[in-house]
């Protein structure tokens, strides 16, 4: 074939291939499109970046209205100090941030240490203030409130009622406190093991407030221990709350010539009885109080130096000297109570408030009483300024018992924990 003819055919084939490539390029892209800058992300990435990320929703603030029926007036008004103990716990809880946006508002209501006033106060807190949880103090008041709390469907909680019947058989009732019968055990144990007294034939007298179920349980237990150890109960006297004259009862006690006199009172009557004993020259080897002495500033105010030397039982406590929270509690309480330091009852109510806060941390709805009840029933232990509280299935947590003494007008713990007679039924 002629060389020129071959060259012509090759040129025609190349031109045809170039035409096909141009057509393909024209079909695949717009030659008029604006070139994309080299730093622009691919379409998919650009779209993801442009989509706004929704903000994390802020939880709505919630508030637990915590009611408290407590004497704020009358002869038992000194117990109103427990409001300060609870408020210090609430302030500490808020400062910790552990409740998030949930807060606790404390609503004290004056019970005047009267059953009817206590029940009326509970009804007001539950129906007017919408408080799903209500704290209380004193056995007679708590037992009267118990069926009303169930009727209204609100939680009833006490850090001071010592009668075992208070929290029994009612899912709405909770407690952290000392078992009242252990007051008798602690005092007898002290006489036997610490004072090394021979209990067989020991002459024992008591004077007690009438109508107080907790005190009645102590007396029943005292008589059982007296039977066990041969203690001779030589005088048994009574009085009514708010009585001011005790000459007749003290005269009978003086004539019985006891080695031990126990005064069972929760109010200023204890100081008046101690004064009457001093006036009549009743000076037994031991003067005891089965609960109610510790923190009773009316005792100190009314009887002065005559109160020194009285031995008493009270809820036990842990050694909190190295606990920063206990130190903060003392500072907070003292600021609210004119320099007074908290006693073991104050510490118990502080710790009871921690138990309620624990239910909130576990997810309880602070506006719903059923939710608070059901979550509180799941709380098993709380480490408080009194030590560790272990709750049983019935909503009870029992404190150990201690022995204290009035010394130079102060309440001094002499035995932080003393064992009851668990083997004696």
């Amino acid at each position: 074939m002629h060389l020129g003819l071959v060259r012509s055919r090759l040129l025609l084939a190349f031109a045809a291939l170039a035409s096909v490539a141009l057509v393909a390029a024209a079909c695949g892209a717009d030659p008029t499109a604006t070139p994309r800058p080299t730093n622009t992300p691919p379409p998919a990435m650009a779209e993801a970046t442009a989509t706004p990320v929704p903000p994390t929703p802020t939880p709505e603030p919630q508030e637990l209205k915590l009611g408290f029926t407590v004497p704020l007036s009358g002869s038992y008004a000194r117990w109103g100090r427990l409001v300060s103990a609870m408020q210090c716990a609430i302030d500490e809880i808020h400062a910790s941030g552990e409740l998030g946006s949930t807060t606790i508002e404390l609503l004290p209501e004056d019970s005047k240490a009267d059953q009817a006033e206590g029940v009326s106060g509970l009804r007001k807190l539950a129906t007017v203030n919408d408080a799903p949880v209500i704290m209380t103090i004193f056995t007679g008041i708590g037992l009267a409130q118990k069926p009303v709390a169930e009727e209204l469907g609100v939680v009833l909680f006490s850090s001071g009622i010592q009668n075992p019947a208070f929290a029994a058989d009612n899912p709405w009732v909770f407690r952290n406190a000392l078992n009242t019968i252990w007051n008798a055990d602690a005092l007898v144990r002290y006489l036997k093991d610490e004072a090394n007294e021979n209990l067989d034939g020991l002459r024992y007298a008591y004077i007690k407030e009438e109508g107080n179920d907790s005190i009645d349980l102590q007396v029943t237990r005292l008589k059982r221990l007296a039977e066990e150890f041969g203690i001779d109960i030589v005088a048994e006297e009574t009085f009514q709350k708010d009585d001011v004259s005790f000459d007749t009862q003290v005269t009978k006690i003086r004539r019985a010539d006891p080695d031990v006199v126990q005064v069972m009172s929760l109010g200023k009557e204890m100081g008046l009885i101690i004064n009457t004993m001093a006036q009549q020259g009743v000076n037994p080897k031991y003067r005891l109080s089965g609960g109610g002495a510790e923190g009773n500033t009316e005792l100190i105010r009314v009887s002065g130096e005559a109160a020194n030397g009285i031995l008493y039982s009270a809820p036990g406590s842990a050694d909190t000297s190295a606990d920063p929270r206990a130190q903060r509690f003392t500072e907070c309480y003292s600021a609210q109570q004119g320099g007074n330091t908290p006693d073991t009852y104050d510490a118990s109510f502080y710790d009871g408030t921690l138990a309620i806060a624990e239910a909130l941390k576990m997810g309880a709805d602070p506006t719903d009483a059923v939710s608070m009840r059901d979550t509180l029933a799941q709380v098993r232990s709380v480490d408080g300024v009194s030590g560790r509280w272990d709750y049983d299935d019935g909503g009870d947590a029992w404190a150990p018992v201690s022995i204290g003494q009035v010394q130079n007008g102060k309440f001094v713990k002499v035995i932080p924990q003393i064992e009851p007679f668990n083997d004696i039924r």
Side-chain angles (χ1 to χ4, degrees):
M1 182 176 295
H2 192 273
L3 183 58
L5 180 59
V6 171
R7 183 181 296 153
S8 298
R9 288 179 178 176
L10 286 172
L11 291 172
L12 288 172
F14 180 79
L17 288 172
S19 299
V20 171
L22 289 172
V23 171
C27 293
D30 181 3
T32 64
T34 302
R36 188 174 64 238
T38 56
N39 61 350
T40 302
M45 184 180 297
E47 182 178 351
T49 303
T51 303
V53 177
T56 302
T58 302
E60 287 293 327
Q62 290 186 299
E63 181 180 71
L64 171 66
K65 293 182 178 180
L66 178 57
F68 186 20
T69 58
V70 60
L72 300 174
S73 62
S75 62
Y76 281 31
R78 175 67 187 117
W79 290 89
R81 70 188 190 276
L82 300 175
V83 173
S84 294
M86 291 179 64
Q87 189 60 56
C88 286
I90 291 169
D91 292 345
E92 179 83 9
I93 293 162
H94 288 167
S96 73
E98 294 179 351
L99 295 185
S101 60
T102 300
T103 57
I104 302 173
E105 181 186 9
L106 183 59
L107 303 173
E109 191 72 24
D110 189 3
S111 71
K112 301 180 176 65
D114 178 80
Q115 287 187 3
E117 292 284 350
V119 170
S120 176
L122 181 141
R123 287 191 179 277
K124 176 182 178 295
L125 288 165
T127 61
V128 177
N129 300 110
D130 296 321
V133 181
I134 298 168
M135 294 284 279
T136 192
I137 181 67
F138 296 137
T139 298
I141 293 173
L143 292 176
Q145 291 172 325
K146 184 175 172 179
V148 181
E150 185 170 23
E151 169 200 334
L152 299 176
V154 294
V155 173
L156 186 62
F157 197 117
S158 181
S159 300
I161 293 179
Q162 301 178 2
N163 189 326
F166 173 66
D169 304 321
N170 192 319
W172 291 98
V173 183
F174 299 83
R175 172 216 352 242
N176 66 305
L178 168 68
N179 189 331
T180 190
I181 67 171
W182 291 350
N183 287 290
D185 286 50
L187 295 173
V188 174
R189 172 77 76 180
Y190 176 86
L191 295 172
K192 177 178 180 293
D193 295 346
E194 302 297 328
N196 295 315
E197 284 289 341
N198 179 10
L199 300 185
D200 190 11
L202 186 71
R203 298 175 65 79
Y204 203 111
Y206 68 80
I207 176 171
K208 76 178 184 74
E209 177 185 316
E210 283 278 58
N212 186 301
D213 295 303
S214 179
I215 289 176
D216 288 344
L217 286 173
Q218 292 178 48
V219 170
T220 299
R221 180 62 173 174
L222 172 62
K223 290 181 176 180
R224 173 68 186 92
L225 296 176
E227 176 187 331
E228 180 74 19
F229 294 113
I231 296 171
D232 186 9
I233 298 179
V234 296
E236 303 175 62
E237 297 298 321
T238 64
F239 65 91
Q240 299 292 327
K241 184 167 74 74
D242 294 326
D243 280 354
V244 295
S245 177
F246 304 92
D247 288 308
T248 300
Q249 297 97 318
V250 172
T251 296
K252 292 179 181 179
I253 290 173
R254 176 173 56 80
R255 289 172 179 168
D257 190 26
D259 302 307
V260 180
V261 175
Q262 181 173 345
V263 182
M264 300 184 180
S265 169
L266 301 175
K268 66 181 181 183
E269 298 88 0
M270 183 180 292
L272 296 173
I273 293 169
I274 295 299
N275 280 347
T276 305
M277 288 173 60
Q279 291 162 7
Q280 293 198 20
V282 179
N283 188 29
K285 190 173 183 180
Y286 301 98
R287 292 177 300 158
L288 309 179
S289 169
E294 185 176 64
N296 187 345
T297 54
E298 286 295 293
L299 166 64
I300 307 297
R301 185 186 68 80
V302 171
S303 58
E305 292 185 1
N308 289 331
I310 294 174
L311 291 156
Y312 57 85
S313 57
S317 61
D319 180 7
T320 58
S321 59
D323 183 353
R325 181 180 54 184
Q327 296 170 17
R328 291 194 297 270
F329 170 42
T330 299
E331 292 170 2
C332 172
Y333 181 91
S334 296
Q336 296 188 32
Q337 288 292 317
N340 291 323
T341 55
D343 60 31
T344 48
Y345 291 98
D346 297 311
S348 292
F349 272 83
Y350 180 102
D351 292 348
T353 308
L354 294 185
I356 293 168
E358 186 66 22
L360 294 174
K361 287 189 279 185
M362 291 170 63
D365 182 345
T367 65
D368 185 83
V370 172
S371 177
M372 289 298 302
R373 178 199 66 186
D374 293 347
T375 311
L376 271 170
Q378 298 174 40
V379 173
R380 281 294 166 262
S381 67
V382 172
D383 290 317
V385 295
S386 302
R388 177 183 169 120
W389 295 89
D390 292 306
Y391 286 83
D392 62 22
D393 291 337
D396 268 338
W398 294 115
V401 63
S402 68
I403 294 293
Q405 187 176 42
V406 180
Q407 299 177 2
N408 298 319
K410 303 291 184 181
F411 301 99
V412 179
K413 194 78 71 179
V414 294
I415 303 178
Q417 294 189 15
I418 190 166
E419 286 295 315
F421 295 101
N422 290 313
D423 56 336
I424 299 177
R425 302 297 179 185

